[in-house]
């Protein structure tokens, strides 16, 4: 079997004057609005952003108007957490402490790293047994 390594010079040249200007571009980009990020959480702020249990990037802080803010989260037990502890105490007391160490059973607040104001929150047990599709 013989392979030929001879190529015509016109194969490699491009005549840019004869390019069709009505052809669509080869690639196009779609802008994604910053601040419309959707995560696994079910709670949302008045701005329509859905928050999850992890820190997230938002475009602009609604309080200080700082651009490019990544939220800091604060997670702490509330009434529902203690209620779950009480129920587990009645059902199977050796595991009554589990809601105190499980983030899903605690309230999560998203706080701006610049002005320390709360941007949004996720209520306890809101994403416990639900898997969101989409």
């Amino acid at each position: 079997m013989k392979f030929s390594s001879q190529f015509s010079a016109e194969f490699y040249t491009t005549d840019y004057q004869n390019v069709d200007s009505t052809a669509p571009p080869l690639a196009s980009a779609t802008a994604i609005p910053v601040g419309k990020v959707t995560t696994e959480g079910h709670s949302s702020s008045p701005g329509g952003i859905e928050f999850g249990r992890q820190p997230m990037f938002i475009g602009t802080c609604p309080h200080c108007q700082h651009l490019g803010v990544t939220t800091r989260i604060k997670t702490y037990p509330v009434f529902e957490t203690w209620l779950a502890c009480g129920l587990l105490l009645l059902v199977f007391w050796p595991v009554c402490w589990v809601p105190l160490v499980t983030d899903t059973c605690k309230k999560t607040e998203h706080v701006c790293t610049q002005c320390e104001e709360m941007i949004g929150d996720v209520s306890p047990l809101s994403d416990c047994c639900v898997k969101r599709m989409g």
Side-chain angles (χ1 to χ4, degrees):
M1 214 186 235
K2 253 185 169 174
F3 293 102
S4 174
S5 62
Q6 297 174 351
F7 293 103
S8 170
E10 62 190 52
F11 179 75
Y12 289 108
T13 60
T14 305
D15 186 11
Y16 290 106
Q17 295 173 355
N18 294 330
V19 174
D20 183 14
S21 62
T22 61
L26 295 177
S28 63
T30 304
I32 299 172
V34 176
K36 299 292 182 188
V37 178
T38 302
T39 59
E40 289 293 318
H42 298 297
S43 232
S44 64
S45 71
I49 303 171
E50 291 190 26
F51 291 97
R53 301 282 178 188
Q54 301 297 322
M56 62 181 288
F57 176 82
I58 60 168
T60 306
C61 173
H63 302 286
C64 67
Q65 306 304 319
H66 191 271
L67 296 174
V69 175
T70 300
T71 62
R72 181 174 52 237
I73 58 168
K74 294 180 181 180
T75 304
Y76 55 91
V78 290
F79 176 74
E80 290 91 344
T81 311
W82 292 105
L83 184 64
C85 287
L87 290 173
L88 284 174
L89 181 68
L90 295 174
V91 175
F92 189 64
W93 69 268
V95 295
C96 67
W97 55 270
V98 171
L100 295 172
V101 296
T102 307
D103 285 343
T104 304
C105 296
K106 297 186 278 186
K107 183 174 183 177
T108 302
E109 289 183 349
H110 286 265
V111 178
C112 175
T113 54
Q114 299 297 317
C115 66
E116 300 295 322
E117 290 289 326
M118 187 180 82
I119 299 173
D121 66 342
V122 181
S123 55
L125 304 172
S126 66
D127 56 351
C128 177
C129 300
V130 177
K131 182 174 181 172
R132 294 187 47 172
M133 304 303 259

